[in-house]
Amino acid sequence: MDLQSGFITVTLRSHVTPSACIEGLELGKKMQIRLAADTTVRELAQKFFSQNMNHIGFIAVNGKIAAENTILQEGDAVDIYSLISGG
Amino acid sequence: MQKFLRVKMDSKSPVWEDVKEEYALFGGRGLIAKILNDEVNPKCDALGPENKLIVCGGLLNGTLAPNSGRLSVGGKSPLTGTVKEANAGGVAGQMLGKLGIKAIIVENKPRDNEWFILKIDRNNAELLPADKYIGLNNYALTSQLRKEFGEKTGIISIGCAGERGYRNSTVQVTDMEGRPSRAAARGGLGAVMGAKGLKAIVLDATGPADTHYVDKEKFREAAKNYIAAIKADQVAGHVFPALGTAVLVNMVNALGALPTKNYSDGRWDKAENISGERLAEVQRARGGGAGHICMPGCAVSCSNIYNDENGNYLTSGFEYETITLNGSNCGIDSLDTIARIDRLCDDFGIDTIETGGTVAVCMEAGKIQFGDGEGAIKLIQEMIDGTDFGKILGQGTEFAGKHLGVKRIPTVKGQNMAAYDPRGLKGTGVTYATSPMGADHTAGNSVGMPKINHHKKEGQVEISTNLQVAMATVDSLGMCLMAALSPMADPVNVGYVCQMMAGKYGGEWDPDRLFGIGVQTLALEKAFNKAAGFTAKDNRLPDFMYKEVLPSTGSVFDFTEEELAMAIPF
């Protein structure tokens, strides 16, 4: 935990290729990233997917669909899901 | 010039027919609907001589179009009593195109309960005695047939479930490696094939394709652009090749629509154990995994190979629906166990969706406990062994559920729902209720629709209608939905499909004309069902979906009959 320095660490897993570089990210594999404390779901998406937000279907936090204004907490698991139509 | 091959089983005579002009722009699902309306009594016994088994490719079959070799199988369904088209990947669809066959129409039944193999090559079609193959399931059957007729043949076959008339039985198709792992699964069409005395169709399409184009260069250019669009697409070009359709497990769980313990919940705390991400991780170590191609000309490669813990092949085409219906819906969190179930189903020739639903109602009835993987396999083994109870299970979820006195039976028009709880994914729920096929996610699945609240009903009838038209079109073109839905969300790519149709058939094609194929198909299917005796009152989900709140979403299925009547109003 790094709260005193104003940062949190969350686990990120994405099914959308980010438009910004996230070193070490592979589709569908979890990795840890550091974010500013009080980062919202919307802000995380804008930080890494600003050029392809339309590829994102929804974002889940800790296994449940999350509102855009959800403030991320230390240790949260964030999943970025694409618009998957198959099955 | 494409031909119909009409196979009269009573006189043992395959006859080639010219295709009438009025059939020129019918293919796949649309062609099946047309033939059923023109030739089959809608009130007939689906397993009697009046029904017909129709096997065909779509309008783009045999062409340079990517992912255009789906094999459509159709007839009146013995499970639902409705019109039925089920399609599969594998090699056989494209072989029909290469052989110049627009459709195989199998009629009547043999006089003396005889069994046959239908062998087709460039010069001949003949019915051969199949006595030595009866009693074989699909893996042993296709292995023997490939030894006898050659490794390059494509095979369409039934296992013992189809022989015995099980209403959950499939028609299996061999893949690129000759394994019978692809299924035209829904609606019991394996039993229709079995009722015709037809154990397998063996296709030898050696040699070049002789496909006619009005403007081949125009077609080639459009196909090239469409392939590039697939490769660039986030889902079709990146997610599916890496993780396969099982990637949906975690996503649908997060939405709260993952069928769990016989549709009693929509979220499961063990979903991660059966996810596409876990599958990829496990198979990386075993030499299997995603990125497998099931049919020639595939630009997506969403299929997979599942190896057992010793690294030996166990099954392939191990998809989200199979994993969820036999996983979370049964409380089973072992991918190895679910993969064994998938292998048993492909081999015996039964629908994995219907099977998972049937096992789950047995669990609800207390025959075995939720989570009992070995118990689930024993129930499937009862079907394979043909015990009295196994025969009941082989009639599908609704029949078995009623027999056991279960109140939560997740069927529409007699067919088990797929792996989306309709209270948590209401657009798909509208499709389940109103599709002429019965509960079928491939008829119009709303899970990928952007910027809507899937738990609310607003806008869902329109979404389902648009998706049902799109899917009826895609199924009539013979395209794989994995290569269609996501790319075709972009109008530019729809333009490439229109250009391919113009290159193949001539004339002007725009989106209205293209999707008019879907409208026409749905109208024909509804006409067949109406003549079979179905009414708007059949367009309804089971009662518990309207009354029991889904805990994960806090919602029920809250559409009135009048609201549902607004869907697919053609």
Side-chain angles (χ1 to χ4, degrees):
Chain A
M1 186 165 311
D2 206 3
L3 285 176
Q4 285 184 336
S5 63
F7 290 93
I8 58 171
T9 301
V10 302
T11 302
L12 177 68
R13 179 167 58 182
S14 181
H15 294 161
V16 179
T17 308
S19 53
C21 177
I22 305 178
E23 199 171 334
L25 183 80
E26 288 180 48
L27 282 185
K29 287 189 81 171
K30 292 178 182 175
M31 66 173 295
Q32 294 201 320
I33 58 169
R34 289 181 87 215
L35 297 169
D38 298 331
T39 298
T40 64
V41 164
R42 185 192 301 115
E43 287 164 348
L44 180 145
Q46 285 170 340
K47 181 177 172 75
F48 297 116
F49 301 89
S50 60
Q51 303 303 308
N52 59 343
M53 291 280 275
N54 60 331
H55 289 167
I56 298 176
F58 66 89
I59 297 174
V61 176
N62 298 327
K64 294 181 183 176
I65 189 167
E68 288 188 343
N69 60 0
T70 303
I71 296 172
L72 296 172
Q73 308 293 325
E74 173 70 22
D76 276 350
V78 181
D79 281 298
I80 313 282
Y81 291 111
S82 48
L83 293 161
I84 297 178
S85 317
Chain B
M1 200 65 171
Q2 284 193 310
K3 302 274 188 186
F4 280 163
L5 178 62
R6 196 173 291 275
V7 185
K8 297 176 188 291
M9 298 304 293
D10 52 342
S11 59
K12 306 176 191 174
S13 57
V15 177
W16 298 99
E17 282 180 9
D18 291 336
V19 177
K20 290 181 195 164
E21 183 60 30
E22 65 175 300
Y23 286 87
L25 287 176
F26 287 90
R29 183 172 158 187
L31 179 60
I32 285 167
K34 171 77 171 154
I35 293 172
L36 286 176
N37 272 276
D38 288 353
E39 299 189 12
V40 173
N41 173 10
K43 292 188 184 297
C44 75
D45 173 3
L47 299 182
E50 276 191 281
N51 198 8
K52 297 188 183 186
L53 180 79
I54 303 153
V55 180
C56 62
L59 285 164
L60 292 175
N61 188 26
T63 70
L64 302 166
N67 297 73
S68 59
R70 295 290 287 189
L71 183 81
S72 285
V73 183
K76 177 175 176 174
S77 164
L79 185 74
T80 64
T82 65
V83 65
K84 178 59 64 180
E85 184 265 359
N87 61 66
V91 299
Q94 196 186 64
M95 286 185 174
L96 286 184
K98 287 182 75 176
L99 289 166
I101 297 172
K102 188 171 177 80
I104 302 169
I105 305 168
V106 185
E107 304 182 350
N108 299 321
K109 58 200 306 183
R111 292 198 182 101
D112 302 315
N113 296 321
E114 297 167 282
W115 287 91
F116 295 94
I117 303 289
L118 175 60
K119 169 70 174 37
I120 305 170
D121 59 30
R122 285 197 179 277
N123 306 310
N124 198 23
E126 57 184 336
L127 285 168
L128 305 172
D131 299 346
K132 62 183 173 183
Y133 300 112
I134 298 309
L136 291 182
N137 283 321
N138 287 304
Y139 272 83
L141 171 69
T142 54
S143 173
Q144 288 200 23
L145 287 172
R146 293 175 80 234
K147 275 182 195 156
E148 182 164 343
F149 295 105
E151 299 286 306
K152 291 186 177 173
T153 52
I155 299 168
I156 303 162
S157 65
I158 58 172
C160 292
E163 287 182 29
R164 294 182 201 154
Y166 282 16
R167 288 170 202 266
N168 64 356
S169 59
T170 60
V171 174
Q172 297 290 134
V173 184
T174 49
D175 65 8
M176 301 282 278
E177 290 79 29
R179 294 161 172 156
S181 61
R182 321 309 304 187
R186 310 239 58 197
L189 291 168
V192 178
M193 188 161 160
K196 303 294 174 203
L198 191 57
K199 180 67 176 167
I201 301 171
V202 179
L203 301 167
D204 181 347
T206 311
D210 185 23
T211 305
H212 175 262
Y213 299 87
V214 169
D215 185 341
K216 190 169 183 179
E217 274 315 303
K218 184 179 204 170
F219 193 102
R220 189 194 302 276
E221 182 68 17
K224 191 175 82 176
N225 287 331
Y226 195 77
I227 291 169
I230 290 174
K231 296 291 186 189
D233 185 82
Q234 178 65 37
V235 176
H238 297 276
V239 177
F240 279 158
L243 297 165
T245 60
V247 73
L248 282 156
V249 171
N250 279 329
M251 176 181 161
V252 179
N253 195 49
L255 274 175
L258 192 79
T260 300
K261 298 182 180 175
N262 194 28
Y263 296 83
S264 64
D265 205 343
R267 189 169 285 127
W268 196 36
D269 58 3
K270 295 179 180 173
E272 189 74 40
N273 295 348
I274 60 168
S275 65
E277 294 85 347
R278 178 63 56 83
L279 192 158
E281 182 185 321
V282 168
Q283 288 303 312
R284 206 172 289 126
R286 296 181 184 178
H292 177 249
I293 287 174
C294 85
M295 67 179 183
C298 172
V300 178
S301 66
C302 72
S303 179
N304 55 18
I305 298 286
Y306 194 95
N307 289 339
D308 66 17
E309 57 192 0
N310 297 317
N312 298 318
Y313 172 86
L314 180 57
T315 193
S316 63
F318 188 40
E319 309 290 353
Y320 165 71
E321 307 294 335
T322 301
I323 291 169
T324 299
L325 264 298
N326 295 279
S328 56
N329 195 48
C330 292
I332 296 171
D333 72 339
S334 161
L335 278 172
D336 283 344
T337 301
I338 305 166
R340 285 166 61 203
I341 289 172
D342 186 52
R343 170 62 182 256
L344 286 172
C345 289
D346 285 349
D347 194 29
F348 185 51
I350 52 176
D351 176 10
T352 57
I353 294 176
E354 200 70 32
T355 297
T358 303
V359 169
V361 296
C362 289
M363 290 173 162
E364 178 147 327
K367 293 290 287 184
I368 57 173
Q369 297 300 304
F370 282 107
D372 182 358
E374 292 309 313
I377 286 172
K378 280 180 186 166
L379 289 177
I380 295 165
Q381 193 61 47
E382 287 217 43
M383 284 192 260
I384 295 168
D385 294 341
T387 66
D388 286 347
F389 188 57
K391 289 174 186 166
I392 289 168
L393 301 181
Q395 301 310 305
T397 302
E398 186 159 305
F399 191 93
K402 285 179 178 172
H403 172 81
L404 294 165
V406 171
K407 288 181 181 166
R408 191 184 285 117
I409 301 176
T411 58
V412 180
K413 299 185 182 77
Q415 182 165 281
N416 206 103
M417 292 171 188
Y420 310 88
D421 193 300
R423 293 163 290 185
L425 195 65
K426 290 190 174 174
T428 299
V430 174
T431 300
Y432 287 162
T434 60
S435 167
M437 298 287 162
D440 184 342
H441 67 294
T442 67
N445 187 359
S446 65
V447 70
M449 296 304 294
K451 301 188 188 307
I452 57 166
N453 186 335
H454 294 290
H455 305 164
K456 304 279 189 191
K457 70 176 180 180
E458 285 72 27
Q460 304 288 1
V461 169
E462 292 77 12
I463 286 169
S464 171
T465 297
N466 290 338
L467 286 166
Q468 290 196 62
V469 169
M471 282 314 307
T473 303
V474 167
D475 289 343
S476 297
L477 298 179
M479 289 188 78
C480 175
L481 72 89
M482 303 307 172
L485 277 185
S486 186
M488 282 172 71
D490 183 340
V492 172
N493 299 334
V494 174
Y496 297 141
V497 179
C498 290
Q499 202 178 327
M500 284 192 273
M501 290 299 285
K504 167 74 178 155
Y505 293 100
E508 296 294 319
W509 285 80
D510 60 17
D512 284 346
R513 187 179 183 195
L514 181 71
F515 293 113
I517 292 171
V519 171
Q520 174 182 257
T521 298
L522 289 164
L524 284 168
E525 291 173 345
K526 286 177 70 174
F528 185 87
N529 285 358
K530 186 177 179 186
F534 287 87
T535 70
K537 293 199 180 305
D538 297 299
N539 294 340
R540 185 178 164 77
L541 300 192
D543 261 5
F544 79 93
M545 296 282 186
Y546 295 86
K547 293 171 182 167
E548 287 185 21
V549 172
L550 187 65
S552 53
T553 60
S555 53
V556 295
F557 193 75
D558 50 359
F559 293 82
T560 64
E561 190 176 308
E562 290 73 28
E563 287 168 333
L564 291 174
M566 300 297 288
I568 54 168
F570 314 120

